[in-house]
Amino acid sequence: MSTPVATPPTAPSTDPVRPQRSLATRILARPEIGAFAAAIAIFLFFFAVAPPFRTLPSFATVLYASSTIGIIAVGVALLMIGGEFDLSSGVSVVTAALTAALITFQLSLNMWVGVVFSLLVALAIGFFNGYLVVRTGIPSFLITLSTFFMLRGANLGVTKAVTGTVASDNASELDGFASAKAIFASNIDLGVMTINITVLWWLFFVALGSWVLLRTRIGNWIFAVGGNAASARAVGVPVNKVKIGLFMTVSFLCWFYGMHILFNFSSVQSGLGIGNEFIYIIAAVVGGCLLTGGYGSAVGAAVGAFIFGMTTQGIVFAGFDPNWFYTFLGAMLLLAVLVNLYVKNYASTRR
């Protein structure tokens, strides 16, 4: 007869149990939730007070205005999540456009030569900013502010020396202009309305930026670098490469929008772009990016850009005095920072 063997009692597990957060908490934890609420409120406001705002052609205009901000705001948001700023983005757009316009017109080259050459120039600017930041330790605010002044002076000085005016020559008759315009500045008829191709490119860059942030190892690196660069470096994250790559990403998007300006208007004013760098940053902040880094989203930056698009066009459609726009801009920035901080803290204390 066999003797049963007593089984010792199993010790209770000491592994910590991660608390399950509710759906509402997970939604509130999203960086862009505050921007979505603001966008809905602003849309309903202009929909009520501005009858032209309700038409599809007007909505196409709003989308276009949003895309001109949103394309670069995606890159700026990624850079801010990585813990850095770029104050040269506004004039970098004009530098890229002027480079392509001047070199092709003065040397009678195909426009695509200028497009490719200006891309190399733009990427060099981004590499210059990123390399100086990681090698010197000087805050990106100061590095890119210096780049801003250098590019601003070069844009005006070189254009005046080459053309005798403050604008590039009309490049619409050059070879390759039409094919390049089809990519960077064409209009697409959707039947119910006509939109500029920049809207589609904007949505593509937002989707790509979101995929990189949420589905790739590089996205994890970006959040880690922005959250704590020293800790990220300690676990093997290539912090310097990530930061340089983010600066070059912003420069690439600046180049892309610069090409749109060139092929949409055929000529480029050398004084454009000044002050736009703050609008890109504000769009990212309104969309949920923290100034301290490590938090934000590409979708939030897109919503922030959409808010700007609605506001700039809605003020016109409603017949308001446009001089009040910057007052609204400052108030919206302050409110966005307070709301995002409140939502983030509220979500972190709930289950």
Side-chain angles (χ1 to χ4, degrees):
M1 181 174 179
S2 61
T3 303
V5 179
T7 304
T10 304
S13 175
T14 59
D15 295 336
V17 178
R18 173 179 288 185
Q20 294 294 323
R21 298 191 302 172
S22 65
L23 177 61
T25 302
R26 293 198 300 271
I27 293 176
L28 287 175
R30 294 298 307 159
E32 61 273 5
I33 189 63
F36 270 119
I40 293 172
I42 293 172
F43 179 85
L44 293 177
F45 172 76
F46 284 117
F47 190 87
V49 303
F53 189 82
R54 306 165 194 168
T55 65
L56 288 177
S58 297
F59 185 67
T61 304
V62 169
L63 289 177
Y64 173 68
S66 303
S67 68
T68 60
I69 299 170
I71 287 175
I72 303 176
V74 171
V76 170
L78 297 182
L79 181 63
M80 290 182 65
I81 294 171
E84 303 294 346
F85 293 93
D86 189 349
L87 296 182
S88 66
S89 56
V91 292
S92 293
V93 171
V94 183
T95 300
L98 285 172
T99 299
L102 294 178
I103 191 173
T104 50
F105 190 89
Q106 297 303 318
L107 300 179
S108 299
L109 301 173
N110 187 288
M111 280 304 308
W112 283 103
V113 176
V115 169
V116 174
F117 184 77
S118 66
L119 173 59
L120 297 177
V121 171
L123 293 177
I125 293 172
F127 179 83
F128 174 81
N129 286 335
Y131 183 79
L132 286 183
V133 168
V134 301
R135 293 296 294 177
T136 66
I138 298 174
S140 55
F141 175 89
L142 296 176
I143 295 290
T144 58
L145 183 61
S146 302
T147 306
F148 163 83
F149 284 116
M150 289 189 290
L151 293 179
R152 179 182 178 183
N155 290 345
L156 291 168
V158 173
T159 305
K160 188 68 179 291
V162 173
T163 67
T165 65
V166 294
S168 66
D169 296 292
N170 191 311
S172 60
E173 300 300 323
L174 295 175
D175 293 337
F177 186 91
S179 59
K181 182 174 182 177
I183 293 177
F184 295 105
S186 62
N187 292 314
I188 300 176
D189 187 4
L190 299 180
V192 294
M193 63 179 178
T194 300
I195 62 172
N196 195 283
I197 196 171
T198 54
V199 176
L200 300 183
W201 281 116
W202 172 40
L203 297 177
F204 169 75
F205 289 132
V206 171
L208 180 62
S210 298
W211 177 76
V212 169
L213 278 178
L214 302 178
R215 300 294 181 183
T216 69
R217 181 173 59 177
I218 295 176
N220 292 332
W221 289 350
I222 293 172
F223 281 110
V225 168
N228 190 317
S231 298
R233 185 177 284 108
V235 296
V237 175
V239 173
N240 291 354
K241 291 182 179 179
V242 169
K243 291 195 174 188
I244 292 175
L246 290 173
F247 277 105
M248 294 180 72
T249 299
V250 174
S251 293
F252 169 79
L253 295 173
C254 289
W255 164 82
F256 191 94
Y257 179 47
M259 294 303 97
H260 167 72
I261 292 177
L262 172 59
F263 294 108
N264 196 46
F265 301 105
S266 305
S267 180
V268 184
Q269 295 286 333
S270 57
L272 291 175
I274 299 173
N276 286 351
E277 57 279 347
F278 294 109
I279 294 180
Y280 305 142
I281 292 174
I282 293 172
V285 172
V286 169
C289 292
L290 294 182
L291 299 175
T292 52
Y295 187 80
S297 72
V299 172
V303 178
F306 183 58
I307 289 174
F308 275 99
M310 286 193 296
T311 304
T312 54
Q313 300 304 311
I315 287 175
V316 175
F317 294 148
F320 298 157
D321 184 356
N323 292 319
W324 287 98
F325 171 72
Y326 286 100
T327 300
F328 171 82
L329 188 63
M332 185 171 63
L333 173 62
L334 179 60
L335 182 61
V337 172
L338 294 175
V339 170
N340 290 336
L341 182 62
Y342 171 79
V343 170
K344 185 174 183 295
N345 291 336
Y346 180 75
S348 64
T349 56
R350 288 197 53 175
R351 291 188 177 183

